[in-house]
Amino acid sequence: MTSPALLLLLLLGVAVADPTVYFEERFNDGDKWESRWVESQHRSDLGKFKLTAGKFYGDAEEDKGIQTSQDARFYALSAKFDKFSNEDKPLVIQFTVKHEQNIDCGGGYVKLFPSSLNQKDMHGDTPYNIMFGPDICGPGTKKVHVICSYKGTNHLIKKDIRCKDDVYTHLYTLIVRPDNTYEVKIDGEKVESGLLEEDWDLLPPKKIPDPDASKPDDWDEREKIDDPEDTKPEDWDKPEHIPDPDAKKPDDWDDEMDGEWEPPMIDNPEYKGEWRPKQIDNPAYKGKWVHPEIDNPEYVAEPKLYKYDDFGAIGFDLWQ
């Protein structure tokens, strides 16, 4: 069981000093949150969220959030807000997560959907714009997902961002800027940043191997070769095992009953192994052949790679 405790705010602003808040949820007005959020009916066995401050808290009322209440369940919950586009504006997604039970496997991320989301039918394959937040599954997976949809395909960030795996509350923040850069913060501290084009495979590569180029037949990549003047010594070949010269046939050995006696075999101290000529520098060595690259004709720069025309819903689509 995990607790994606408080979904604090999703905001979009031209400037930090005067942001436009499109969605904010603090779960601090009792059960009224249930009127703002819609449970999916895509399947009948979905888990239920409950409102709680958890096992420990700073303030019993102010620290309430929604918590997954059943193990080994899928959860699907969403809320809508006024449609907007982040064109020419920085997008900020921010929420807190508390895994107060030392989670072993489960997600604590959110998804941002277009306004066309069918909330009653939301499920794991429902198209979304951005997926962001922590995901834990055993000791090998403790990451922060940052997945961006581009032209109908979901792309996972190529960098590995480690999430927090203790029992305390942590604030996760994603900022996507109109200069096609991004920043991920945990508890207000930057843990990753960079360019959208470099850290996701959203666009085709700028360069590709030249299809008309191939390694020449006479290109020699062998750094070392056998010495052609080295020959095997005449006394090299010795058997690997020889009869034990110190062994003696037992006095009670009966050739008719026991068969012909043979001494046991031992390792031959004169055995030198398989002979191989010594190695020398290859005078014809040209180094490793590098396939030349050309400009990719399929690559087209996208100055507004960051932009989504339609944000209109946010949701939890989780497995616990």
Side-chain angles (χ1 to χ4, degrees):
M1 184 174 67
T2 186
S3 55
L6 296 167
L7 179 60
L8 287 179
L9 56 90
L10 166 67
L11 61 87
L12 172 68
V14 178
V16 175
D18 185 25
T20 299
V21 179
Y22 284 91
F23 183 84
E24 181 175 2
E25 177 63 82
R26 295 186 179 273
F27 300 105
N28 59 359
D29 56 357
D31 294 334
K32 291 182 179 179
W33 72 273
E34 295 179 340
S35 66
R36 297 187 293 271
W37 293 80
V38 175
E39 291 185 351
S40 174
Q41 298 177 2
H42 181 76
R43 50 190 296 169
S44 61
D45 59 345
L46 289 171
K48 299 294 183 181
F49 284 94
K50 66 178 181 179
L51 184 69
T52 176
K55 298 176 182 177
F56 54 91
Y57 44 80
D59 185 287
E61 292 301 320
E62 291 298 323
D63 290 351
K64 282 185 177 180
I66 53 171
Q67 182 184 57
T68 56
S69 63
Q70 300 161 284
D71 291 342
R73 292 291 183 95
F74 287 97
Y75 291 80
L77 188 72
S78 64
K80 284 199 169 183
F81 45 82
D82 291 340
K83 175 182 175 180
F84 72 88
S85 171
N86 66 320
E87 184 173 10
D88 299 328
K89 307 175 184 69
L91 173 72
V92 179
I93 307 164
Q94 183 168 268
F95 61 101
T96 61
V97 180
K98 180 171 68 169
H99 296 306
E100 64 178 19
Q101 80 305 355
N102 283 313
I103 184 174
D104 178 65
C105 187
Y109 41 81
V110 298
K111 289 182 176 180
L112 270 67
F113 299 91
S115 59
S116 58
L117 172 69
N118 181 348
Q119 293 179 271
K120 291 289 188 179
D121 193 46
M122 188 187 81
H123 55 87
D125 293 327
T126 300
Y128 60 86
N129 293 340
I130 295 175
M131 173 174 151
F132 170 61
D135 186 26
I136 296 174
C137 192
T141 300
K142 295 182 179 181
K143 66 173 65 175
V144 178
H145 280 301
V146 190
I147 302 177
C148 299
S149 177
Y150 184 70
K151 294 185 176 180
T153 301
N154 296 333
H155 298 270
L156 176 64
I157 189 172
K158 294 186 286 186
K159 291 179 177 177
D160 186 18
I161 309 174
R162 187 176 177 86
C163 69
K164 299 293 185 179
D165 61 352
D166 54 39
V167 300
Y168 304 109
T169 300
H170 295 286
L171 177 66
Y172 288 85
T173 306
L174 172 64
I175 305 171
V176 180
R177 299 186 175 92
D179 60 358
N180 286 326
T181 64
Y182 74 96
E183 185 174 345
V184 176
K185 295 182 178 182
I186 300 179
D187 298 332
E189 295 186 2
K190 183 174 69 175
V191 295
E192 194 55 79
S193 63
L195 296 172
L196 297 176
E197 184 171 342
E198 291 182 356
D199 292 349
W200 283 263
D201 290 326
L202 302 175
L203 301 178
K206 291 182 179 181
K207 298 283 187 178
I208 59 171
D210 185 350
D212 295 327
S214 60
K215 184 170 67 174
D217 294 336
D218 61 349
W219 191 279
D220 198 333
E221 294 184 329
R222 298 173 302 161
E223 190 171 353
K224 298 284 186 179
I225 60 172
D226 295 341
D227 184 351
E229 298 181 359
D230 192 20
T231 57
K232 182 171 67 174
E234 294 180 358
D235 62 347
W236 184 273
D237 291 327
K238 302 290 184 180
E240 185 175 358
H241 301 97
I242 59 173
D244 186 352
D246 297 327
K248 296 181 179 180
K249 184 169 73 173
D251 294 338
D252 60 351
W253 187 277
D254 188 323
D255 288 345
E256 292 185 0
M257 295 292 293
D258 301 326
E260 183 180 355
W261 180 82
E262 295 181 354
M265 304 296 285
I266 62 171
D267 292 339
N268 183 2
E270 297 184 0
Y271 176 68
K272 299 180 181 180
E274 181 181 356
W275 183 84
R276 299 179 185 276
K278 67 181 181 181
Q279 298 288 290
I280 62 172
D281 292 337
N282 180 7
Y285 175 65
K286 295 184 177 181
K288 296 296 182 182
W289 186 76
V290 178
H291 201 128
E293 293 185 327
I294 60 171
D295 292 336
N296 184 359
E298 296 184 2
Y299 172 80
V300 178
E302 176 50 74
K304 293 191 176 184
L305 194 60
Y306 71 94
K307 180 177 72 73
Y308 291 89
D309 292 326
D310 181 357
F311 284 107
I314 189 166
F316 297 108
D317 169 36
L318 308 174
W319 160 252
Q320 302 295 298

